[in-house]
Amino acid sequence: MSTFRPQHTVDLTERKTESTIYLQRRRLLSLDSQLIEPVTRFIREGLVILNTELQILFANPSFIALAQASGEEELIGKRIGEAINCINATLSSEGCGTSSECSACMVLSSLVSLGEQRQETSATVFRKAKEALHLKVSSIRIQIQEEDYVISVLRPVNQEERKISLERIFYHDILNSAGVLKGLIELLHENHRQLPGSAETGGNSEMEELWNATILSSARIVEEIQAQRDFSKAERNELALNISAIHTASFFRELRNWFTAYELSEEGQIRQAEGFEELAFSSDPVILRRVFINLIKNALEAAPRGSVVVIDARGNPGGVTISVQNQGVMPREVQRSLFRQTFSTKGSGRGFGSYSVKLLTEQYLQGSVSFLSDDEHQTIFKVRLPWKINL
């Protein structure tokens, strides 16, 4: 057995025929039937052996269980995304790996770019029925008796690992807000001590401003706790929808005022696009608000100093498209990894912003999220939503 040196790029629009697949499978299992099946079936993680077109030739019992399949026969010839019911695998008639959404798939990119060394990656796969599947994937190309294969081992991330990751994000945000509140209260106390007639502060404008800032910070703490709670519910498919009418004009004003109140944006930094359409549609206002707070936060952080963030709303026969545009351009490697659950441009342990946008929009609001980032268009995120959610 030797490692495989790839001679060409994998063309994911090409597949082997069913007869060729079963010929390859028989050839694989005949190489050493005393070794391959007993060893691979002993491995507790999901294991598949693929051909060079990344079609499954062999799957062990753990992978069959992961794929929720009735047996191995059901999986032969499929690609991994099709086997585990990834929602993007059905977006193109040519299957897993061929839709525009697949360009961000970490499982796929690790398989296509395999060389002589084993590759490991983390990935989040959205399955049907609102389920997010978090995986650790290890893959290697090998050559056995002049036949080329890909071996992939997929391990679901357990609940304890997820809990640690979620808590890390939660405590980072909550401690930031609590730290601001603590500093404001200390400033209030010091100011109060130095003011003449400090027992009667009702008419003091400086004290009034400090009190207002304290109230806003405490409100933000409550909001972040609620957002984290709802995000956890969303991942467990337990988040309930509360549908009401939404008007794009008032929704824009609410978002702009939120960022101004918390001093997260400067006056006039968040603007309506020319041609912004005043539209009415039905959705969950709380979830939608969280989606756009995340998108606008990211846009403000990514935009060059002094630039603006532009919000647009357009109607079409299928629903409403609301976009967020900033004047920055994301590096290609950031674009490839953007919706990964563990990825963040802000450093270690901050990877749930864009992931939560995708989760909430696609799994609950029955919409979709896409983006474009280049020198011509700058960076635009588009959230497409139906006129009405079908419950």
Side-chain angles (χ1 to χ4, degrees):
M1 180 185 301
S2 62
T3 54
F4 171 67
R5 299 174 183 266
Q7 301 298 316
H8 56 82
T9 303
V10 177
D11 183 354
L12 293 171
T13 64
E14 297 289 331
R15 290 177 183 253
K16 291 289 191 285
T17 63
E18 182 177 356
S19 59
T20 302
I21 287 288
Y22 279 92
L23 179 63
Q24 289 180 321
R25 173 176 163 82
R26 287 195 298 273
R27 192 177 297 144
L28 169 68
L29 296 180
S30 68
L31 292 175
D32 195 342
S33 59
Q34 300 301 310
L35 177 63
I36 292 177
E37 287 200 74
V39 169
T40 54
R41 294 186 189 284
F42 179 78
I43 295 173
R44 297 179 63 181
E45 289 82 10
L47 180 145
V48 286
I49 302 178
L50 316 173
N51 62 15
T52 52
E53 284 71 32
L54 307 183
Q55 294 169 273
I56 296 172
L57 302 178
F58 173 86
N60 74 345
S62 296
F63 184 85
I64 295 169
L66 179 67
Q68 300 173 344
S70 57
E72 187 183 13
E73 185 73 18
E74 183 182 329
L75 305 176
I76 302 304
K78 292 183 177 180
R79 292 196 173 124
I80 289 178
E82 296 153 359
I84 61 177
N85 294 314
C86 172
I87 59 173
N88 293 328
T90 59
L91 295 181
S92 166
S93 60
E94 294 175 317
C96 174
T98 58
S99 75
S100 58
E101 297 288 332
C102 297
S103 63
C105 175
M106 298 309 297
V107 176
L108 190 68
S109 63
S110 69
L111 292 174
V112 170
S113 61
L114 270 178
E116 296 183 351
Q117 303 299 319
R118 181 182 68 182
Q119 287 205 18
E120 296 185 352
T121 189
S122 299
T124 299
V125 175
F126 289 93
R127 306 170 90 170
K128 297 172 183 176
K130 300 181 182 179
E131 180 186 0
L133 178 63
H134 309 286
L135 298 168
K136 297 282 188 183
V137 184
S138 299
S139 303
I140 191 169
R141 286 182 182 266
I142 63 170
Q143 191 173 82
I144 308 175
Q145 295 185 9
E146 300 183 353
E147 291 285 343
D148 304 320
Y149 303 96
V150 174
I151 297 178
S152 287
V153 176
L154 298 86
R155 180 176 69 84
V157 177
N158 63 40
Q159 288 300 312
E160 187 60 27
E161 289 174 287
R162 290 288 302 149
K163 180 181 177 183
I164 292 171
S165 184
L166 285 167
E167 286 181 350
R168 186 183 300 120
I169 306 300
F170 173 76
Y171 286 121
H172 178 279
D173 289 341
I174 204 68
L175 287 174
N176 269 359
S177 295
V180 171
L181 180 61
K182 180 175 181 291
L184 286 169
I185 292 173
E186 290 172 349
L187 185 58
L188 271 171
H189 182 249
E190 186 64 25
N191 198 320
H192 176 76
R193 289 175 57 189
Q194 294 176 7
L195 285 172
S198 59
E200 298 177 8
T201 61
N204 187 288
S205 60
E206 185 178 355
M207 285 297 294
E208 191 67 25
E209 288 180 6
L210 289 171
W211 275 117
N212 287 338
T214 303
I215 292 168
L216 282 172
S217 290
S218 62
R220 190 175 175 191
I221 285 178
V222 173
E223 186 161 343
E224 289 190 7
I225 294 172
Q226 291 172 334
Q228 180 65 32
R229 177 201 63 194
D230 289 349
F231 175 64
S232 297
K233 285 184 175 180
E235 286 220 304
R236 298 193 301 270
N237 195 24
E238 296 175 357
L239 188 58
L241 293 175
N242 294 294
I243 308 301
S244 63
I246 295 173
H247 298 268
T248 55
S250 58
F251 182 64
F252 167 79
R253 288 193 296 271
E254 180 187 353
L255 289 170
R256 183 183 57 192
N257 293 341
W258 189 92
F259 279 90
T260 302
Y262 286 131
E263 298 182 350
L264 296 175
S265 69
E266 299 174 3
E267 192 69 31
Q269 191 177 7
I270 300 175
R271 300 180 185 175
Q272 275 188 6
E274 292 185 14
F276 182 102
E277 296 180 358
E278 296 190 14
L279 305 166
F281 63 102
S282 296
S283 192
D284 186 305
V286 173
I287 296 177
L288 189 65
R289 185 165 170 263
R290 295 211 171 112
V291 165
F292 279 95
I293 284 174
N294 268 319
L295 285 176
I296 296 171
K297 275 183 181 179
N298 288 344
L300 289 168
E301 291 171 351
R305 181 177 292 276
S307 64
V308 299
V309 171
V310 179
I311 314 298
D312 198 5
R314 305 282 171 163
N316 57 74
V320 179
T321 299
I322 304 177
S323 63
V324 178
Q325 180 180 22
N326 73 71
Q327 295 172 306
V329 177
M330 292 184 289
R332 182 64 59 181
E333 60 272 17
V334 171
Q335 295 185 42
R336 285 174 58 85
S337 304
L338 195 63
F339 291 120
R340 284 177 58 191
Q341 174 261 325
T342 52
F343 178 79
S344 174
T345 60
K346 308 183 190 75
S348 177
R350 297 293 310 280
F352 283 98
S354 57
Y355 166 72
S356 68
V357 165
K358 188 175 181 69
L359 175 69
L360 294 173
T361 301
E362 299 188 356
Q363 303 301 309
Y364 287 90
L365 301 183
Q366 298 177 8
S368 64
V369 185
S370 62
F371 70 91
L372 178 65
S373 187
D374 58 31
D375 292 330
E376 180 183 354
H377 301 90
Q378 302 168 332
T379 296
I380 306 174
F381 279 81
K382 292 186 177 182
V383 177
R384 294 175 175 85
L385 301 160
W387 289 112
K388 182 180 180 180
I389 289 180
N390 297 315
L391 296 177

